[in-house]
Amino acid sequence: MTEADIDAVAAVRVRGWQAAYRGLMPQAYLDAMSVAADAGRRRSWFGRRPPEVSDLVAERDGGIVGWISVGPARDPELSPGPTAASAADRPAGEVYALYLSPGTIGTGVGRSLLHAGTARARASGFRALYLWVLRDNARARRFYERAGFVPDGAEEAFEVEGGSVPEVRYWRPLEPGPR
């Protein structure tokens, strides 16, 4: 991903949320999501992200149709995080985001992005990869389970519009990769 991709990534993320989370989150929240606002947040973050974070995009017919972001696990119980001195101090990575344009779901784009993100995490020395998924998002849970992820028993609430949307944490081990 380059800085020039930010607007397209924001559109993929917002449209992805609106499609994937319909019925799982308050509709007013989804309807109020703004591609421009998301692009602004992404642009601000892009220049400050740690070097251990990888953002990858998938393109089809000259346009961006998917995005994955992976890096050090944010949960301190899993990993010391992005300030750790070396990859050996960062045993766990995390899939921060994986979103697709709604029309590409089921076409293999998500699988390709997850494979590429997993390879980046492995090459960074992470020994496990974690992610959070909405508990009631059956399609996403099946997708991650087919990719070898399993729930580890952790759950937390994602607060949206004063309501609680439960998430579950998944993980999978990573084999050592080339350095």
Side-chain angles (χ1 to χ4, degrees):
M1 177 177 164
T2 68
E3 193 165 358
D5 297 329
I6 288 174
D7 291 325
V9 165
V12 165
R13 182 181 173 278
V14 168
R15 302 299 175 246
W17 268 62
Q18 290 170 331
Y21 299 153
R22 187 171 312 281
L24 302 176
M25 286 191 180
Q27 191 60 43
Y29 177 81
L30 295 173
D31 291 344
M33 292 182 77
S34 160
V35 172
D38 191 80
R41 283 188 299 277
R42 217 143 299 295
R43 195 167 279 104
S44 171
W45 174 83
F46 193 78
R48 296 181 289 111
R49 67 187 175 156
E52 300 90 355
V53 173
S54 293
D55 287 288
L56 307 170
V57 295
E59 295 180 347
R60 182 174 279 171
D61 299 326
I64 292 176
V65 296
W67 163 64
I68 189 169
S69 184
V70 298
R74 294 173 287 187
D75 188 333
E77 82 179 47
L78 303 174
S79 174
T83 60
S86 71
D89 295 330
R90 295 186 318 266
E94 183 175 345
V95 175
Y96 303 139
L98 173 56
Y99 292 101
L100 304 174
S101 295
T104 62
I105 294 172
T107 66
V109 172
R111 188 174 44 252
S112 294
L113 275 172
L114 185 58
H115 179 75
T118 300
R120 286 283 179 103
R122 185 180 296 115
S124 293
F126 298 122
R127 295 187 300 266
L129 195 57
Y130 289 82
L131 59 87
W132 288 92
V133 63
L134 296 184
R135 184 187 69 203
D136 296 334
N137 190 342
R139 174 187 268 174
R141 290 183 73 168
R142 282 190 308 271
F143 170 78
Y144 291 120
E145 288 167 5
R146 283 192 303 268
F149 286 85
V150 295
D152 72 357
E155 288 195 31
E156 68 179 32
F158 177 65
E159 298 300 319
V160 179
E161 299 271 310
S164 181
V165 179
E167 294 181 300
V168 294
R169 189 172 63 198
Y170 274 65
W171 83 282
R172 68 166 279 195
L174 297 179
E175 300 296 321
R179 298 259 172 172

